[in-house]
Amino acid sequence: MLKVEGLHCNYGKVSAVRDLNMEVAEGELVTLIGANGAGKTTTLKAISGLLPPTEGRIVFDGEDITNASPRRILELGIAHCPEGRRVFPYMSVRENLEMGCFLRSDPAIQDDMENIFARFPVLRERRDQAAGTLSGGEQQMLAISRALMSRPKLILFDEPSLGLAPNLVERTFEIVREIREKDGVTVVMVEQNAFAALELCDHSYVLESGETTLQGTGEELLRDEHVRKAYLGG
Ligand code: ATP
């Protein structure tokens, strides 16, 4: 479904990603793990068109999207749930959800919003409240829901558990699992919590200084000595 070949991304003279290769099959849950600054966020930005790559090729569903606009990439079915949630703080919960489907005009939008409210009742209760007044956990539910409102084929999650209380971290991973299993959406997730990322995924890539140094199934990487020492506290 998604193929990234020889991806290089720079910020001016700073090289953030070097020769990254990854493949994601339809229905898979793939995670990217690595230390701060390894290039994980940059990789997601390149896939969703927010940062044009310096070199390499990104193909989604058979279409070359390497230099496509973020709008075109969303239209093709890739939604990005960014690091730090980035809800529109002065807009209401409902308006944030509407922003998630700004490209759609089909009659099922209301049904989809109802489904979101059934899934996250707190968002229904707060539907007219400014999103910036929600708690961190509620904002994360909203950011995930906003991404779902575009009816994506693939969702890119950037550190969805960041800054949340431990019980909400677990709930967030449960939601990510449900999105793949019940909604049938393919998932690529960047996650600092390497243990959770490896337990949840089908396949994972380890990024170090902008390069993929290891890849494998979650089970393989959980057993890998380097991964255990570097990311799982030995
Ligand atoms: P984190 O977990 O801290 O978000 P990351 O693995 O997602 O880390 P990136 O955010 O992709 O890493 O950053 C990769 C490299 O690019 C880092 O060296 C970072 O300092 C640099 N970088 C990221 N954004 C910019 C920017 N806007 N301008 C200049 N350099 C940047």
Side-chain angles (χ1 to χ4, degrees), residues 203-216:
H203 202 90
S204 188
Y205 292 84
V206 181
L207 264 73
E208 292 176 346
S209 307
E211 296 176 53
T212 30
T213 50
L214 271 174
Q215 60 163 299

Side-chain angles (χ1 to χ4, degrees), residues 103-133:
L103 287 177
R104 289 176 57 190
S105 55
D106 57 273
I109 291 176
Q110 273 317 313
D111 289 348
D112 285 1
M113 205 174 285
E114 274 308 310
N115 287 336
I116 296 281
F117 288 151
R119 193 168 193 167
F120 304 115
V122 70
L123 296 183
R124 185 198 301 280
E125 274 166 37
R126 295 170 196 273
R127 61 185 179 277
D128 298 318
Q129 195 172 314
T133 64

Side-chain angles (χ1 to χ4, degrees), residues 67-222:
N67 290 302
S69 67
R71 182 190 174 107
R72 174 69 187 145
I73 291 169
L74 177 63
E75 219 166 51
L76 288 171
I78 301 182
H80 191 149
C81 189
E83 184 173 359
R85 311 182 265 274
R86 303 292 186 99
V87 297
F88 300 106
Y90 300 112
M91 289 183 167
S92 68
V93 165
R94 180 189 289 279
E95 286 164 342
N96 268 269
L97 293 174
E98 285 167 358
M99 293 303 282
C101 59
F102 80 101
L103 287 177
R104 289 176 57 190
S105 55
D106 57 273
I109 291 176
Q110 273 317 313
D111 289 348
D112 285 1
M113 205 174 285
E114 274 308 310
N115 287 336
I116 296 281
F117 288 151
R119 193 168 193 167
F120 304 115
V122 70
L123 296 183
R124 185 198 301 280
E125 274 166 37
R126 295 170 196 273
R127 61 185 179 277
D128 298 318
Q129 195 172 314
T133 64
L134 301 182
S135 73
E138 291 161 355
Q139 287 190 21
Q140 188 56 267
M141 302 305 126
L142 179 57
I144 293 172
S145 301
R146 180 181 57 187
L148 285 172
M149 284 302 290
S150 67
R151 290 208 171 177
K153 296 181 193 160
L154 168 68
I155 296 195
L156 310 175
F157 285 112
D158 197 346
E159 308 234 11
S161 75
L162 195 72
L164 300 183
N167 60 329
L168 289 176
V169 169
E170 285 213 358
R171 172 75 185 119
T172 304
F173 291 139
E174 222 174 79
I175 293 165
V176 171
R177 191 184 286 126
E178 266 177 35
I179 286 174
R180 192 273 287 267
E181 281 166 15
K182 295 200 186 135
D183 302 65
V185 180
T186 306
V187 172
V188 174
M189 179 173 75
V190 162
E191 184 49 56
Q192 284 264 334
N193 181 339
F195 186 73
L198 294 176
E199 280 221 306
L200 204 65
C201 74
D202 300 308
H203 202 90
S204 188
Y205 292 84
V206 181
L207 264 73
E208 292 176 346
S209 307
E211 296 176 53
T212 30
T213 50
L214 271 174
Q215 60 163 299
T217 63
E219 271 176 34
E220 283 165 354
L221 294 183
L222 280 168

